[in-house]
Amino acid sequence: MTVNRLLGALVATGLAFASSAFAQERPTIKIGGVLPQQGPLADSYGIPPMQGIQIAIDEINAKGGIKGRKLKPVFRDDRTQIQGSVAAFQELAKNPEIAAIFGPALTGAAMAVRPIIDENTIPQFSLNYGIGLVKDGFTYYYRMSPSLDIGNTAILAAAQKKLGNGQKLAILSSTDAGGTEGAADAVAQAPKFGMTVVAQEKFQYGETDFTAQMTRIKASGATVMLAITQGIATNAAVRAARQLGILQKLTIIGVSGLADAQSVELAGNLLNGVILWDFVCIDDPSNPRIPPFLEAYKAKFKDGRVSPAVMNAYDAIKIIAAGLEKVVDGDKPIDRVKLNAALNETKYQGFASFYNFTPAWHNGPQADQVALCTYQDGKRLPFKP
């Protein structure tokens, strides 16, 4: 090879390396996540959403990212504590590289961080179902799950359709903001579905003995129990019901967490027959999107326990990505206000729910989009009364 050719080859190679390095150095778009990796909600609403976020980001990056810019998750562990959520949100929201934040798990924490979100004009997505979160001041807050009032409407109607009028309703709910609001709403809605409320019981996250609560529910003569529970709490409640001999006499209905991955692992077939509203009925044989997603999930995480929260967080990132596609401008920092405006015009078909966000509606899916499921022998299937 002549000297000129050698120099030409070296220059070309150098330009190729420089071009490659330049492409790799393009600023990433960071998505924050404030979710419990420790504490009572970690297995239900902490780790699963983190997995869903990672799957969605990996898919987007494999296709070149958003206009050539890759996404990067930045996770913080709030340990299922409101103080931890506030500290993490303050850190992430003040970082100009963070475009949006997913989390937290607790409704009370979501209320506590509202001023931080507003002050920093950063979009926030979460699975919280507390009713008060979207009553007012929700400009930057987006709910991915049904709210408890919408969920209550759907699940009480399902129970009425299955069992008929005249049912005696017991309510078992957490003492946090979401549980308190959900219980109050169920009391208000029950008469519309031919039900009389005969018992209201509370629990705190982390409780493992529900004998006292279920003994009082047994004494009330309840025929239906609305369980605003998940994970350890669901397990404790259904096991206490079995020990008291009322599990076969009591139809249990409830929220999405009623048959989440942790609840299923702990309670197993004690959950047979429960009816719940959810993001998606994971074992729905008629939904063609589910099998390939579950296969990819299991291959990535080597875990057969798939929570609907995985798929819901995945959908949230895809919605954020759709908004980013409209506002990414070269390598400039993301304009959060413009991103929020784009999100307010987002329509997205999730695994089971259709999302149509507008400035007036950040409340997740509409009532007619709520998935109703039942648990039977290891499967979460569409509910058919």
Side-chain angles (χ1 to χ4, degrees):
M1 178 180 293
T2 66
V3 173
N4 287 339
R5 287 184 179 179
L6 178 59
L7 288 174
L10 290 173
V11 169
T13 302
L15 289 173
F17 280 136
S19 176
S20 175
F22 177 77
Q24 292 175 357
E25 290 171 2
R26 291 197 67 187
T28 58
I29 301 170
K30 295 179 180 178
I31 307 296
V34 179
L35 295 159
Q37 299 165 51
Q38 304 172 66
L41 291 186
D43 284 341
S44 298
Y45 293 111
I47 296 171
M50 289 171 60
Q51 294 171 329
I53 290 169
Q54 191 64 65
I55 292 174
I57 286 178
D58 287 350
E59 282 188 9
I60 293 167
N61 287 344
K63 296 179 180 178
I66 306 295
K67 295 185 178 178
R69 293 173 62 178
K70 299 296 181 67
L71 299 184
K72 181 179 179 180
V74 180
F75 293 122
R76 294 292 182 267
D77 177 13
D78 65 7
R79 302 188 178 191
T80 321
Q81 297 174 352
I82 292 179
Q83 299 93 326
S85 296
V86 170
F89 267 83
Q90 285 177 332
E91 175 201 349
L92 296 181
K94 293 182 182 301
N95 182 347
E97 296 181 352
I98 305 290
I101 302 177
F102 188 96
L106 291 169
T107 293
M111 293 297 294
V113 303
R114 177 64 55 81
I116 300 171
I117 299 306
D118 290 346
E119 178 184 354
N120 293 277
T121 62
I122 184 168
Q124 173 196 1
F125 283 71
S126 83
L127 305 183
N128 304 121
Y129 42 49
I131 298 169
L133 283 166
V134 291
K135 281 187 176 178
D136 53 54
F138 54 82
T139 303
Y140 293 95
Y141 175 80
Y142 295 83
R143 188 202 303 279
M144 288 300 295
S145 72
S147 58
L148 278 170
D149 53 343
I150 290 177
N152 281 344
T153 298
I155 202 66
L156 292 174
Q160 181 187 41
K161 189 172 183 178
K162 176 182 174 72
L163 303 170
N165 292 326
Q167 301 304 314
K168 297 178 180 180
L169 178 66
I171 302 169
L172 176 66
S173 61
S174 62
T175 56
D176 75 345
T180 300
E181 288 180 335
D185 177 78
V187 170
Q189 290 207 52
K192 294 188 295 185
F193 298 98
M195 297 182 184
T196 301
V197 178
V198 295
Q200 295 185 63
E201 295 293 332
K202 299 285 186 180
F203 69 91
Q204 293 184 341
Y205 285 119
E207 279 191 56
T208 57
D209 185 357
F210 282 45
T211 304
Q213 292 98 320
M214 296 307 300
T215 296
R216 290 189 288 269
I217 287 175
K218 178 181 180 179
S220 74
T223 57
V224 179
M225 181 177 77
L226 173 63
I228 305 178
T229 64
Q230 63 281 312
I232 295 171
T234 294
N235 176 58
V238 297
R239 289 188 181 279
R242 182 184 67 174
Q243 291 168 0
L244 292 167
I246 60 172
L247 190 57
Q248 303 304 319
K249 304 174 184 177
L250 189 67
T251 298
I252 300 177
I253 61 176
V255 301
S256 60
L258 182 59
D260 61 13
Q262 187 186 36
S263 302
V264 169
E265 181 180 42
L266 293 171
N269 286 349
L270 291 180
L271 296 175
N272 278 354
V274 303
I275 308 166
L276 60 148
W277 57 259
D278 213 330
F279 316 126
V280 58
C281 303
I282 283 184
D283 301 294
D284 180 358
S286 67
N287 189 327
R289 291 185 59 190
I290 294 176
F293 181 86
L294 297 185
E295 184 177 345
Y297 172 85
K298 293 173 183 177
K300 185 174 184 64
F301 296 106
K302 313 302 180 186
D303 187 356
R305 302 180 313 155
V306 185
S307 166
V310 175
M311 304 165 85
N312 204 242
Y314 172 96
D315 279 342
I317 298 304
K318 289 304 184 85
I319 291 173
I320 293 171
L324 287 168
E325 287 283 358
K326 299 177 181 179
V327 302
V328 167
D329 183 6
D331 290 349
K332 294 179 182 178
I334 301 302
D335 186 321
R336 294 170 174 175
V337 174
K338 289 183 178 179
L339 174 58
N340 194 62
L343 293 171
N344 273 321
E345 299 175 350
T346 299
K347 295 178 174 60
Y348 174 80
Q349 178 59 59
F351 282 95
S353 298
F354 180 74
Y355 296 89
N356 184 8
F357 290 124
T358 69
W361 182 268
H362 289 190
N363 201 20
Q366 300 276 358
D368 62 356
Q369 288 290 313
V370 175
L372 291 173
C373 314
T374 187
Y375 184 85
Q376 191 65 44
D377 298 331
K379 294 185 181 297
R380 282 158 282 186
L381 303 167
F383 170 68
K384 298 177 181 179

